[in-house]
Amino acid sequence: MKLLSPAISRLARIRHWRIAQWANDPIASQREVLQDLITHGQYTEFGRKYGFNQLFNIRKFKEAVPIHEYDDLKPYIDRIMAGEENVLWNTPVSWFAKSSGTTNDKSKFIPITQESLEDCHFQSAKDVLTMYYNNRSESDLLTGKGLVIGGSHQISQINEDMQYGDLSAVLLQNTPIWANWIRTPELSIALMDEWEEKIEKMAHHTIQEDVTSISGVPTWTLILIKRILAITGKQNLKEVWPNLELYIHGGVSFTPYRAQFQQLIGAGCSYLEMYNASEGFFAAQVSPEEEGMLLFTENGIFYEFMPVSEYGKPNPKTIGLSDIVVGENYALVISTNGGLWRYLVGDTVQFITKYPFKLKVTGRLKQYINAFGEELIADNADRAIAMASANTGLIVTDYTAAPIYFSEQHQGAHEWLIEFEQKPDSIEHFTFELDTALKSLNSDYEAKRHKDMALSMPVVHALNPGIFNQWLKQKGKLGGQHKVPRLSNERLYVDEIKSFYL
């Protein structure tokens, strides 16, 4: 099988010239993508409503089409699901990705067209492999099996022509037959709904395979890894799978988990971050050594970037790549070959370089704490948790936080519910390190903490191991894409979890 490696590397280099072309001239490639999208869109009801046949440049497109959140597009999507054609896109829609937010009960159904499958999701996945092989010409990645830890929703029928599932299920159902040769576990296990049984079966099924890569959300991947090590009695995954060379992660920040993965997997494994969602595949790391993810500017998505301060205004302004400021926080706005038009994804990003345009995900528009002017975002919190963990020797498995507002009983503060692998002997020590890290990362937080004037020391509760999973399970949100909300300006999640488990 290893004879395949040189051949695969040669194929990767053939494709890589194209990646280099759009990476080096991303603004031109974005212009072409928008033109192609409008060409398709002009034959739809949405396109006729907004005069797509008269839109000849980016400025006119932005003037004509308002920014949409999901509820704005939902009436169109409902009509597509009822069987209407040419509503948002001019080719048939047979699939929908069911995306349920962090713990929200309201599901979103994102149209998946053939173009978004082939030219966005699948092409971007191929481009990730191309970039990896271009940097690792001797890799044996595709000579073994890729362990995919996807979602847990079975495919469901809308009518005889339409189906839905979570994104991983839709992609698995539409991958070529040959892909089954290099993927594990088998489809019947990969798509199981019952997450705890699924983890058990995945562990037993994959132990005997030659796994060379793992893909999945860090929180759920950790659970599987620990189960595999418990079954095998091994110290790390490299003892189970000696040829394991790559872990591909996304969905949540890897920063708080990196040290755990390096310990549990062992030496000799590389880590790549991908930024993909039901709405599209947006970016990925070029190589494990390079910080940030390269924005994919040719694969069927036109990008705009809304300064976070614009969110909530009647006519929020967006900018293009040419006006990006490195280090600024932007909300991602996309138009896609799945029929989403000027769609506000809900994520916030920061660019770390221009030419090439590399970014990092900093959080969610509605997941932050700014109760006292501290402007704490998920990126700050993830990095602070990692720093505090390193300084105390503790392992954090998950967390959530919200403000304690001023009252007669309380000074203002942040309240943290943190699940540790083992409860700390001194929660006060961890609290001090967390507070110190937050001050070093966020000058607004540091100013508000000065002499406890606006913010007092954080209040940290150490939860028993498994509490967050119990909470997700009782909400019917265990496994797959479901995640514990990191930060909130409201106390809904914190109070709910405290009422159940504290």
Side-chain angles (χ1 to χ4, degrees):
M1 285 291 287
K2 292 193 176 184
L3 292 174
L4 285 174
S5 294
I8 294 170
S9 291
R10 285 194 294 273
L11 287 172
R13 285 193 291 272
I14 291 171
R15 167 64 188 170
H16 195 264
W17 75 269
R18 184 63 188 176
I19 295 174
Q21 192 172 41
W22 56 252
N24 290 331
D25 196 358
I27 293 173
S29 67
Q30 279 285 275
R31 201 178 298 119
E32 292 176 10
V33 165
L34 181 60
Q35 187 57 59
D36 183 64
L37 295 177
I38 290 174
T39 299
H40 279 272
Q42 68 181 324
Y43 303 109
T44 66
E45 180 171 325
F46 187 94
R48 286 189 288 272
K49 177 179 179 179
Y50 291 106
F52 275 24
N53 62 342
Q54 300 296 316
L55 303 182
F56 303 113
N57 57 50
I58 294 172
R59 181 176 60 82
K60 289 291 187 183
F61 173 69
K62 291 168 65 171
E63 288 175 354
V65 183
I67 288 175
H68 295 86
E69 296 191 57
Y70 181 77
D71 285 345
D72 301 315
L73 289 182
K74 188 177 183 297
Y76 296 97
I77 293 171
D78 287 343
R79 289 168 55 190
I80 299 171
M81 296 179 77
E84 290 190 46
E85 297 184 351
N86 300 316
V87 178
L88 290 171
W89 194 249
N90 71 323
T91 63
V93 178
S94 300
W95 290 91
F96 292 84
K98 183 182 179 183
S99 173
S100 56
T102 309
T103 52
N104 197 334
D105 292 326
K106 184 172 68 174
S107 295
K108 299 177 182 178
F109 292 87
I110 304 300
I112 304 290
T113 65
Q114 194 62 34
E115 290 84 358
S116 63
L117 267 178
E118 296 291 341
D119 301 334
C120 183
H121 290 289
F122 290 155
Q123 184 59 62
S124 298
K126 293 174 188 174
D127 286 349
V128 172
L129 290 175
T130 295
M131 294 188 297
Y132 182 76
Y133 265 96
N134 187 67
N135 289 291
R136 297 244 191 315
S137 59
E138 300 305 314
S139 169
D140 292 320
L141 188 71
L142 296 182
T143 63
K145 293 289 185 75
L147 170 55
V148 180
I149 307 167
S152 54
H153 290 293
Q154 292 280 4
I155 294 297
S156 301
Q157 208 75 27
I158 299 172
N159 55 48
E160 60 180 18
D161 298 318
M162 295 180 187
Q163 302 171 87
Y164 73 85
D166 77 358
L167 178 66
S168 57
V170 173
L171 297 181
L172 286 171
Q173 288 283 5
N174 285 277
T175 51
I177 293 176
W178 59 263
N180 294 322
W181 305 339
I182 57 173
R183 188 194 68 230
T184 191
E186 63 188 38
L187 206 58
S188 62
I189 297 174
L191 296 178
M192 286 179 66
D193 274 319
E194 217 297 309
W195 188 251
E196 290 159 317
E197 182 185 0
K198 174 179 176 175
I199 286 288
E200 194 70 17
K201 288 197 172 184
M202 287 181 79
H204 286 281
H205 183 86
T206 58
I207 285 171
Q208 303 304 320
E209 299 278 13
D210 178 21
V211 172
T212 54
S213 69
I214 303 174
S215 306
V217 175
T219 44
W220 305 114
T221 304
L222 277 175
I223 294 172
L224 178 62
I225 291 174
K226 290 175 181 178
R227 184 59 188 140
I228 288 172
L229 296 181
I231 292 170
T232 60
K234 302 295 185 183
Q235 294 299 306
N236 59 57
L237 279 190
K238 291 289 282 188
E239 294 181 6
V240 181
W241 300 313
N243 296 318
L244 178 63
E245 64 173 272
L246 179 65
Y247 172 50
I248 300 173
H249 57 89
V252 298
S253 170
F254 194 52
T255 301
Y257 302 105
R258 184 176 294 276
Q260 290 182 68
F261 272 89
Q262 290 171 339
Q263 178 184 349
L264 292 172
I265 290 179
C269 183
S270 297
Y271 300 86
L272 279 180
E273 183 175 10
M274 296 194 307
Y275 179 21
N276 64 326
S278 301
E279 294 87 352
F281 198 130
F282 307 132
Q285 270 184 286
V286 173
S287 74
E289 295 76 26
E290 297 183 24
E291 186 183 359
M293 293 177 284
L294 179 68
L295 186 69
F296 289 177
T297 56
E298 192 184 60
N299 296 355
I301 300 176
F302 177 74
Y303 300 96
E304 301 172 56
F305 304 93
M306 178 198 296
V308 171
S309 59
E310 291 288 314
Y311 182 58
K313 292 182 179 180
N315 295 296
K317 296 177 181 178
T318 65
I319 61 172
L321 288 173
S322 60
D323 296 318
I324 285 295
V325 176
V326 170
E328 291 292 316
N329 224 25
Y330 298 104
L332 190 64
V333 177
I334 58 173
S335 298
T336 78
N337 54 8
L340 302 178
W341 299 102
R342 302 201 76 205
Y343 180 84
L344 188 65
V345 176
D347 294 332
T348 58
V349 300
Q350 285 180 8
F351 282 87
I352 62 171
T353 66
K354 297 174 67 172
Y355 301 101
F357 285 88
K358 293 183 181 179
L359 55 77
K360 65 177 180 178
V361 180
T362 55
R364 298 280 295 172
L365 264 178
K366 297 179 181 178
Q367 285 193 35
Y368 59 90
I369 301 178
N370 193 30
F372 310 98
E374 66 274 47
E375 298 188 13
L376 185 70
I377 60 175
D379 183 60
N380 301 150
D382 286 331
R383 291 168 64 189
I385 286 285
M387 292 165 66
S389 299
N391 290 338
T392 58
L394 295 168
I395 295 175
V396 171
T397 55
D398 225 330
Y399 73 89
T400 190
I404 299 173
Y405 287 95
F406 289 114
S407 69
E408 292 182 4
Q409 294 79 29
H410 296 289
Q411 172 88 351
H414 290 174
E415 186 169 19
W416 297 71
L417 305 184
I418 302 179
E419 187 178 310
F420 297 90
E421 193 168 83
Q422 291 186 326
K423 273 197 170 184
D425 294 330
S426 172
I427 195 64
E428 292 79 12
H429 183 201
F430 185 89
T431 302
F432 172 80
E433 293 293 344
L434 176 64
D435 183 56
T436 302
L438 288 168
K439 289 176 183 176
S440 72
L441 293 167
N442 185 317
S443 59
D444 291 318
Y445 177 88
E446 182 183 32
K448 302 303 181 293
R449 283 282 294 116
H450 182 64
K451 296 184 177 180
D452 293 351
M453 290 176 61
L455 275 174
S456 58
M457 182 70 79
V459 177
V460 179
H461 304 281
L463 302 185
N464 290 323
I467 289 297
F468 280 120
N469 281 350
Q470 291 177 37
W471 178 60
L472 289 171
K473 185 178 181 180
Q474 63 91 18
K475 293 177 73 67
K477 301 289 184 179
L478 186 65
Q481 66 184 323
H482 304 299
K483 301 177 283 289
V484 173
R486 292 298 199 215
L487 306 176
S488 177
N489 242 13
E490 308 296 329
R491 293 189 50 83
L492 172 65
Y493 303 124
V494 164
D495 286 342
E496 185 176 309
I497 295 169
K498 284 176 66 179
S499 68
F500 274 100
Y501 304 112
L502 289 180

